Amino acid sequence: MKIQPIAHKSLAETAAGKLAASILDGSLPPGTQFPPERELMNQLGISRSTLREALQRLEETRLIEARPHVGWFARTISEANMAQAREMAGWAGPQAVRPATQEPSTGPLRVPIAHEKPIHIPNLRKDRLGTFEFISWWEREKVLKARVMVIGAGALGNEVIKNLALMGVGNLFIVDFDKVEAANLSRSILFREGDNNRSKAEIAAARAKSINPDIHVQYMNGDVTTQLGLGIIRRMDVIIGCLDNREARLAVNRFCYWVNKPWVDGAIQELLGLVRVFVPGKGACYECTLTEQALRDLSMRYSCPLLARQNILLGKVPTTPTIASIIGGMQSQEALKIINDMPIEPGKVTHFNGMVNEMHTTAYSPRDDCESHWTYGEITELPARAERTTLADLLRIARADLGPEAMIELDQELITQLECPNDHTVEEILRPLSEVTFEAGHCPTCGVLRESTMTHIISGEEKFLHRTLASVGVPPLHIIKAHNGVQYRFYELTGDLPDTLHFRHFEQGHVTVSPAPAPEASKGAAASRSDHGKVRLKGEVKMKGTVSASERGRVKLRG
Ligand SMILES: [Zn+2]
Ligand SMILES: [Zn+2]
């Protein structure tokens, strides 16, 4: 007996086929907005994840387009996509669509069997990563090539950076705006007494390089919420958040969604801690985990933005180096799994209670209306730089692409004036919100907090179009949104790439890290590698060749 193979289409393909058929037969004419997700799910009898997969298929075939914050729209069928549209419509087939309840559950994933690793006997005397070769799923090439961003170089960040350096993770980008102080020394393995008042990011990067001179490091002494170009995040494999406040986590969460990157969050307090991995489109995101109250608190703070920024700097949480190493260790492992393409469980949280040594994992529910669930469309790489390009320049480019209605949408509010409610004096300023302190917001005459006028839309009417992007708060290598009310474009300031992302801090020849007072450092060849003296800011060598920019973002509605 011969059994004929039956061609099966996935639920998502079938659903995509039905929608394609509706576009082809004119029941969804070009420009029409799709019904809301829930309605589509009901109509097609599929789950949200299946629907999103279907929409993604249609989007890839350019049959529909996503308009961020609006929804999905049918596109015009042209010769370019006609054939594919017809093929897709054929997928719908005559068979009835199975109800969503029969979809495979979203429980733990089966661990794939590791491929046969080529037999390789490491030289444990010469090869510092040699023992990792014995781990069946550990892939040296992937680890060496990995680009990992660590945001926050406090107690958690120190542990994570130490672990990543020890494991030979090839490229580390460390961000922190803070400075080392005495209180950090009780929980930060990378800091020394003499580091007082120096940039945490810089010291941590220098020490990571001295732990493992084979890796490449770069640091940024700045605020992740406003000073980190999205193009940097876009070129990372995984982002690890070692943060201590909601505002920064929320910002990191949105950035990671925008450029479709996984991120690992960790939080600690006394002997308690938690770890969670967020992957765009796979389960809940950080914002989904926030309660209504937390979201209200955050928006309250945003209603007085000058104060909001100030508050981020307050509210220190007591931590111990022990819980930092437990949670930091778990975060590093999650990152390592992501780098090695091992299964992870996004949208879940693992709590660890060190008082009673209890650990448990639970899943968060994704929220339909979550504001974080947006991913940028195709990113246009411009040879432009934040320091040189003016608003007028960018507007000109946007208008060439999107027509005369095009507007630029900045990520950060720009304060244009401050007005005193008492004496009605008006001060014209033009500065990004992040650069105006709470104190500066007060009236110099009567001391009352002034009302600020802000904008983040550049429509072309402004008197300050000659200003550079950098001067209005756009960081180097950022990606800027432009739209004409219908379509969006995403422009990256790729001209900034060589200076902004190089992983060349403290490279050999420029390395000047004060060695740790370890006894081994004084004997053997190792000691000669790290020079004596202080960490210097040299070693910024231009990158050889640019990073692969082939990655194309897509607009996706994700859960
Ligand atoms: Zn969410
Ligand atoms: Zn006043």
Side-chain angles (χ1 to χ4, degrees), residues 253 257 283-289 366-367 370-373 559:
N253 185 65
Y257 258 72
C285 78
Y286 172 70
E287 188 169 348
C288 294
T289 72
R367 292 162 62 114
C370 179
E371 271 306 305
S372 283
H373 300 188

Side-chain angles (χ1 to χ4, degrees), residues 28 33 80 128-129 142 154 250 296 299 333 344 373 389 428 440 454 467 536 545:
L28 277 171
Q33 184 172 6
R128 65 158 63 218
L129 303 176
K142 283 184 181 170
L250 192 58
R296 263 198 303 278
S299 65
Q333 284 186 177
I344 43 159
H373 300 188
T389 311
E428 302 279 342
M454 293 184 288
R467 292 280 295 262
R536 261 190 290 133

Side-chain angles (χ1 to χ4, degrees), residues 391-392 395 399 404 406-408 457-463 465:
L391 287 165
L395 204 55
R399 292 200 161 159
M407 287 179 275
I408 295 168
I457 301 286
I458 306 298
S459 65
E461 305 295 313
E462 295 76 9
K463 292 186 192 106
L465 292 176

Side-chain angles (χ1 to χ4, degrees), residues 302-308 415-431 433 435-454:
Y302 286 126
S303 65
C304 184
L306 292 177
L307 195 57
I415 300 189
T416 53
Q417 64 173 41
L418 292 166
E419 182 175 355
C420 175
N422 279 348
D423 45 43
H424 298 286
T425 51
V426 172
E427 185 190 349
E428 302 279 342
I429 59 168
L430 187 77
R431 298 179 76 181
L433 179 57
E435 288 174 20
V436 181
T437 63
F438 187 53
E439 287 72 31
H442 288 76
C443 176
T445 323
C446 70
V448 160
L449 182 62
R450 292 178 288 180
E451 276 156 20
S452 41
T453 307
M454 293 184 288

Side-chain angles (χ1 to χ4, degrees), residues 217-219 498-507 510-511 536-543:
V217 299
Q218 188 178 348
Y219 65 87
D499 291 342
T500 310
L501 186 61
H502 51 71
F503 294 113
R504 288 292 181 273
H505 282 146
F506 312 110
E507 285 296 285
H510 302 271
V511 189
R536 261 190 290 133
L537 252 161
K538 285 225 178 136
E540 289 203 47
V541 177
K542 293 274 166 72
M543 220 173 124

Side-chain angles (χ1 to χ4, degrees), residues 66-265:
R67 294 179 198 160
H69 308 285
V70 190
W72 292 94
F73 291 78
R75 295 176 69 131
T76 315
I77 307 243
S78 63
E79 289 105 6
N81 55 8
M82 174 67 89
Q84 275 171 304
R86 285 181 181 283
E87 192 198 327
M88 267 185 142
W91 294 349
Q95 79 268 40
V97 178
R98 284 184 298 157
T101 49
Q102 284 179 21
E103 281 210 290
S105 74
T106 51
L109 298 169
R110 200 179 165 78
V111 181
I113 297 159
H115 319 284
E116 289 266 327
K117 276 192 11 174
I119 294 170
H120 172 70
I121 310 294
N123 182 338
L124 298 183
R125 286 193 188 172
K126 290 185 179 163
D127 184 356
R128 65 158 63 218
L129 303 176
T131 43
F132 295 135
E133 292 282 349
F134 300 125
I135 300 172
S136 62
W137 47 266
W138 192 81
E139 292 186 59
R140 178 184 287 250
E141 276 309 299
K142 283 184 181 170
V143 176
L144 290 179
K145 281 188 189 146
R147 295 154 164 251
V148 178
M149 177 178 285
V150 180
I151 307 177
L156 273 180
N158 263 256
E159 288 298 317
V160 168
I161 292 160
K162 172 210 67 177
N163 290 335
L164 298 178
L166 287 174
M167 294 191 293
V169 171
N171 303 280
L172 301 183
F173 194 103
I174 300 166
V175 188
D176 200 305
F177 67 88
D178 218 353
K179 292 201 157 43
V180 178
E181 54 185 29
N184 302 134
L185 299 175
S186 60
R187 64 210 71 217
S188 309
I189 187 66
L190 304 175
F191 301 156
R192 304 283 175 268
E193 206 150 325
D195 300 332
N196 220 354
N197 216 26
R198 308 205 56 162
S199 148
K200 283 184 179 175
E202 179 190 353
I203 299 289
R207 296 276 147 67
K209 183 78 181 163
S210 75
I211 287 174
N212 184 349
D214 296 340
I215 63 168
H216 306 289
V217 299
Q218 188 178 348
Y219 65 87
M220 192 188 93
N221 179 26
D223 180 354
V224 64
T225 61
T226 55
Q227 289 176 283
L228 187 66
L230 258 189
I232 303 177
I233 300 184
R234 184 182 165 224
R235 289 172 176 80
M236 295 294 141
D237 296 310
V238 50
I239 290 87
I240 307 181
C242 300
L243 300 158
D244 60 3
N245 68 83
R246 272 186 197 145
E247 283 82 357
R249 284 193 176 92
L250 192 58
V252 170
N253 185 65
R254 290 190 177 173
F255 298 159
C256 290
Y257 258 72
W258 290 348
V259 293
N260 198 7
K261 293 292 165 183
W263 79 281
V264 184
D265 185 32

